[in-house]
Amino acid sequence: MKIAVFGARGKVGSIMAAGLAEAGHEVVPIDLGDPVELGGCDAAVDFTQPDAVEDNVAACVRAKLPCVIGTTGFDRAAVDRLAQEHNVRVFHAPNFAIGAVLMMRFAAEAARHMQKAEIVELHHETKVDAPSGTAKDTADAMGGDVPIHSVRLPGLIAHQEVILGGQGQTLTIRHDTTSRDAFVPGVLLALERVRELPAGLTVGLHALL
Ligand code: NAP
């Protein structure tokens, strides 16, 4: 496939562009200030920043391109509306690492059996949104009423701990992303499957597994 990568010079986008090329795709890199030329592309991937997503999706829907969004913290309702209006498929996972999807699933299961829980999410200091999309979705999957603590420090990539407390015991479920390569297989899977999804925005890697 010929795939446009929005944010191709960024921390994740650069690794994604290399990973997609290694998997045999042709990559069209588009970074801030570059012309948005989507002619001949089969799909697009976005790892930019929250306020850039809507414009990038608008360019994709005009070109009738399915789009896989990795950027977190954007207005999901607006993107869903845009994609539905133009009958285009858009997929978003707040976390493309398979281990993080399993962490969310295990946390939802554990929340049914433990009294209380809190989430600590830890990310590199340049992450602009807080709390993270993964933490918010984990809290939702656990029933909603789960406080989230955000840590932003150099040296971190993306990490999350879900700590559950019960009588005389705690349970900690922790996921660590040690390299941004962790996000490549999930994006490849989403690119393979995005055309089978209903028009509009579909959220969560679990929808594809
Ligand atoms: P980053 O290093 O700041 O990269 C973002 C890149 O996008 C930069 O090169 C930036 O250019 C570029 N950009 C900004 N606006 C743009 C636009 N309108 N069109 C094209 N490119 C644009 O950030 P990152 O760490 O790679 O993270 C990117 C996003 O992915 C964040 O929202 C982060 O939370 C998310 N993320 C998601 C996952 C997941 O699994 N879903 C995993 C990791 C990160 P400039 O530097 O010139 O501004």
Side-chain angles (χ1 to χ4, degrees):
M1 281 198 275
K2 186 171 171 181
I3 301 166
V5 177
F6 291 100
R9 285 196 292 269
K11 286 186 286 299
V12 180
S14 54
I15 285 174
M16 200 52 63
L20 297 182
E22 205 171 299
H25 297 294
E26 184 184 344
V27 171
V28 178
I30 303 175
D31 229 287
L32 195 61
D34 293 344
V36 179
E37 283 164 5
L38 301 174
C41 288
D42 302 296
V45 171
D46 183 298
F47 279 91
T48 58
Q49 56 189 46
D51 61 3
V53 170
E54 248 178 275
D55 282 352
N56 292 342
V57 171
C60 290
V61 300
R62 278 196 299 275
K64 293 282 175 205
L65 283 192
C67 187
V68 172
I69 304 173
T71 307
T72 53
F74 66 94
D75 182 342
R76 291 182 184 179
V79 165
D80 184 38
R81 238 182 350 260
L82 195 60
Q84 293 219 29
E85 274 166 20
H86 291 81
N87 198 31
V88 167
R89 279 97 186 119
V90 178
F91 176 80
H92 168 60
N95 201 319
F96 276 99
I98 177 71
V101 178
L102 293 173
M103 168 192 62
M104 285 189 245
R105 188 179 289 180
F106 299 155
E109 168 71 18
R112 286 204 285 275
H113 305 284
M114 302 290 280
Q115 282 165 343
K116 283 187 74 181
E118 303 213 0
I119 295 171
V120 186
E121 58 94 344
L122 312 92
H123 284 84
H124 57 91
E125 62 182 340
T126 58
K127 182 173 174 64
V128 290
D129 54 318
S132 72
T134 301
K136 286 192 275 190
D137 285 355
T138 307
D140 286 347
M142 294 171 74
D145 188 21
V146 183
I148 302 172
H149 310 275
S150 299
V151 177
R152 297 287 176 269
L153 284 174
L156 295 169
I157 297 183
H159 317 260
Q160 180 168 296
E161 258 183 32
V162 182
I163 309 166
L164 301 108
Q167 194 174 352
Q169 60 186 315
T170 64
L171 168 66
T172 302
I173 302 168
R174 181 175 171 111
H175 177 256
D176 294 285
T177 304
T178 53
S179 154
R180 291 181 175 88
D181 288 331
F183 306 122
V184 175
V187 170
L188 284 169
L189 175 69
L191 285 165
E192 248 172 55
R193 303 280 305 279
V194 66
R195 284 168 200 283
E196 300 162 18
L197 298 171
L201 177 68
T202 301
V203 177
L205 210 51
H206 59 274
L208 306 180
L209 296 174

